[in-house]
């Protein structure tokens, strides 16, 4: 599946992370945000939206380049740098649904890092149940007027362009009355709440977004009116694949660092890896990690071929995310007291990986999707 040019790209991105990201992660975690210049640098070096056609600022690369970026960020302990969200979750909405004017207006700046993207779905009382969205948009002449609040929005502080899911149909219209509207940073009536303090992803800005008679041009409607829910459903599969990619790469990195630690750390005069109980723990983790990799690689290939992968994506998002968290628990345990210290990378991995079974659809929602597609519910 991967060719020589993919491996060259992977090595180049690893060097970029070693030079521009990894040395600064501790400071960014303390500050609660990744500096905007990092986005510009990533854009200048071709690491944002590489899949975009050249006419929109990309290089026309295949999906594997996006997978490589997500994997290497995860392995470096830098999942707080939410480039995959920007490039592979939000930008595809603009490319697939945007008018030619919208695409030419926004996409080149997304590729260059001049525009940072976010998508706003979750509300204080609406998580995975997107059909219950209450943020409202009313047409007023040549503008849309938005009122409501979003929460837990990744890239919420830095975002220059937010795709907002809002209700444009009657209050009881459910999934059939939702539209997507693009809100730019300087839109009147658009404000941001605080940068939320989280258990993990400390360097990633997560914010509340407030729309108080927020006016945006009518042409900022993205896709079809009242078809926003279905647009979201069409694109959630790739979002969930990227979540699984992150979880799998983190599991692989945690296993590798723990094997290295367990071989070198001694107790009672011998390496802790040589105790049968610990060795069997590591074997169990290694088996699950390898199973996850085999499943994920096949899923990525099927996705690139345009196959219907909804069932397998939901399985992968649920199982790989939970597997990565099982791995994190056992790896911290094998590190002992040092695993609880921030100076050891396993500590950051442990708290960062915890959110993956929650965002992009919880494990429970993924299981509901699979159960329905198996005809069980």
């Amino acid at each position: 599946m991967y060719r020589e040019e993919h491996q060259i790209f992977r090595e180049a991105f690893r060097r970029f992370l070693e030079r521009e990201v990894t040395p600064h992660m501790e400071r960014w975690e303390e500050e609660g945000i990744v500096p905007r210049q990092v986005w510009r640098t990533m854009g200048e070096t071709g690491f944002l939206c590489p899949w975009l056609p050249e006419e929109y600022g990309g290089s026309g690369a295949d999906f594997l380049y996006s997978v490589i970026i997500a994997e290497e960020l995860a392995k470096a302990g830098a999942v707080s740098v939410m480039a995959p969200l920007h490039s592979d979750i939000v930008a595809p909405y603009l490319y697939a649904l945007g008018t030619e004017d919208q695409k030419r207006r926004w996409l080149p700046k997304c590729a260059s890092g001049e525009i940072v993207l976010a998508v706003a779905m979750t509300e204080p009382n609406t998580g995975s149940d997107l059909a219950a969205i209450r943020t409202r948009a009313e047409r007023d002449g040549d503008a849309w007027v938005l009122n409501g609040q979003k929460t837990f929005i990744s890239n919420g502080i830095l975002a220059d362009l937010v795709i907002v899911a809002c209700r444009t149909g009657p209050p009881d219209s459910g999934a059939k009355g939702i539209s997507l509207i693009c809100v730019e940073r300087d839109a009147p009536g658009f404000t941001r709440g605080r940068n939320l303090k989280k258990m993990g992803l400390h360097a990633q800005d997560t914010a509340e977004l407030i729309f108080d008679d927020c006016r945006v041009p009518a042409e900022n409607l993205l896709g079809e009116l009242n078809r926003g829910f279905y647009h979201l459903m069409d694109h959630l599969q790739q979002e969930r694949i990227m979540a699984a990619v992150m979880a799998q790469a983190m599991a692989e990195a945690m296993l590798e660092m723990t094997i290295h630690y367990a071989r070198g750390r001694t107790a009672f005069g011998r390496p802790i890896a040589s105790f049968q109980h610990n060795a069997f723990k590591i074997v169990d983790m290694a088996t699950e990690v390898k199973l996850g990799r085999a499943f994920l690689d096949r899923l990525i290939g099927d996705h690139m071929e345009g196959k219907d992968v909804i069932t397998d994506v939901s399985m992968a998002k649920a199982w790989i995310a939970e597997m990565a968290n099982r791995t994190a628990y056992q790896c911290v345990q094998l590190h002992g007291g040092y695993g609880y210290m921030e100076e050891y990378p396993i500590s950051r991995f442990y708290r960062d990986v915890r959110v993956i079974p929650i965002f992009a659809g919880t494990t429970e929602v993924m299981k509901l999707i699979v159960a329905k597609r198996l005809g069980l519910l």
Side-chain angles (χ1 to χ4, degrees):
M1 185 163 64
Y2 291 95
R3 300 185 301 275
E4 182 180 1
E5 54 265 37
H6 292 115
Q7 300 306 327
I8 293 171
F9 181 84
R10 188 185 294 274
E11 288 300 322
F13 189 57
R14 280 179 183 166
R15 290 194 297 272
F16 173 85
L17 292 177
E18 291 168 358
R19 183 178 66 253
E20 302 288 346
V21 174
T22 306
H24 311 293
M25 279 303 302
E26 185 174 349
R27 173 166 56 85
W28 297 345
E29 289 223 319
E30 292 172 356
E31 295 172 352
I33 198 165
V34 174
R36 179 172 290 274
Q37 182 56 41
V38 175
W39 292 86
R40 295 297 298 271
T41 305
M42 287 190 72
E44 290 166 2
T45 46
F47 297 134
L48 294 179
C49 305
W51 55 270
L52 276 175
E54 291 184 13
E55 62 182 308
Y56 299 121
S59 54
D62 64 40
F63 182 59
L64 292 178
Y65 288 84
S66 296
V67 171
I68 288 168
I69 290 170
E71 285 181 341
E72 293 304 321
L73 282 168
K75 289 179 179 179
V79 286
S80 288
V81 182
M82 277 285 176
L85 169 67
H86 168 94
S87 297
D88 307 300
I89 296 172
V90 189
Y93 285 101
L94 296 176
Y95 181 69
L97 302 172
T99 63
E100 189 60 29
D101 178 68
Q102 287 173 330
K103 289 192 280 190
R104 294 196 178 278
R105 179 180 171 192
W106 291 321
L107 285 176
K109 291 184 178 180
C110 296
S112 69
E114 294 172 77
I115 286 178
V116 176
L117 296 172
V119 59
M121 293 183 261
T122 303
E123 298 181 357
N125 295 307
T126 304
S128 297
D129 183 11
L130 296 178
I133 282 171
R134 297 175 64 182
T135 295
R136 180 146 195 87
E138 300 274 0
R139 185 67 183 263
D140 181 23
D142 61 354
W144 288 100
V145 180
L146 281 67
N147 282 283
Q149 184 176 349
K150 300 289 183 178
T151 194
F152 306 148
I153 306 306
S154 300
N155 290 349
I157 299 295
L158 285 172
D160 303 290
L161 183 69
V162 183
I163 298 176
V164 182
C166 48
R167 186 160 301 284
T168 47
D172 60 353
S173 55
K176 297 180 180 179
I178 293 171
S179 298
L180 304 180
I181 295 177
C182 298
V183 178
E184 295 170 277
R185 170 174 287 278
D186 58 356
F190 173 36
T191 57
R192 300 155 206 260
R194 59 196 174 93
N195 191 351
L196 300 172
K197 294 185 180 298
K198 308 180 295 297
M199 173 183 174
L201 300 181
H202 291 169
Q204 191 271 312
D205 54 308
T206 304
E208 300 165 328
L209 307 182
I210 300 100
F211 307 95
D212 184 8
D213 287 336
C214 172
R215 296 184 69 88
V216 300
E219 59 265 27
N220 279 23
L221 175 71
L222 185 65
E224 295 182 48
L225 182 66
N226 293 329
R227 294 282 301 172
F229 179 85
Y230 305 101
H231 295 326
L232 291 170
M233 293 302 102
D234 288 342
H235 288 77
L236 279 173
Q237 304 321 309
Q238 183 159 302
E239 178 175 358
R240 288 164 181 165
I241 289 174
M242 297 308 292
V245 167
M246 291 165 56
Q248 179 66 34
M250 292 181 78
E252 291 168 351
M254 289 186 287
L255 176 63
E256 182 180 350
M257 69 177 70
T258 300
I259 289 174
H260 176 77
Y261 179 85
R263 284 172 173 165
R265 175 69 171 169
T266 59
F268 306 103
R270 54 195 281 203
I272 63 170
S274 69
F275 289 91
Q276 188 181 64
H277 176 76
N278 292 341
F280 283 6
K281 270 188 177 182
I282 293 171
V283 167
D284 286 343
M285 286 192 291
T287 303
E288 287 202 327
V289 167
K290 183 156 283 194
L291 287 169
R293 171 53 64 186
F295 187 16
L296 181 61
D297 282 351
R298 196 205 73 193
L299 175 60
I300 290 168
D302 288 346
H303 176 63
M304 291 176 68
E305 291 176 14
K307 295 180 181 179
D308 179 356
V309 293
I310 293 174
T311 301
D312 284 358
V313 164
S314 303
M315 289 176 174
K317 167 60 169 69
W319 191 85
I320 294 176
E322 295 291 346
M323 177 273 290
N325 274 270
R326 290 192 296 272
T327 302
Y329 179 89
Q330 296 296 349
C331 287
V332 168
Q333 192 70 17
L334 285 165
H335 276 75
Y338 290 106
Y340 201 65
M341 298 295 107
E342 282 289 321
E343 64 193 89
Y344 278 74
I346 190 62
S347 177
R348 182 191 301 162
F349 275 74
Y350 180 86
R351 52 182 168 77
D352 284 354
V353 79
R354 184 61 189 89
V355 75
I356 302 181
I358 298 172
F359 67 20
T362 64
T363 296
E364 293 75 18
V365 169
M366 296 301 97
K367 290 181 178 180
L368 279 173
I369 292 170
V370 174
K372 289 177 180 178
R373 291 180 69 86
L374 293 177
L376 304 177
L377 298 175

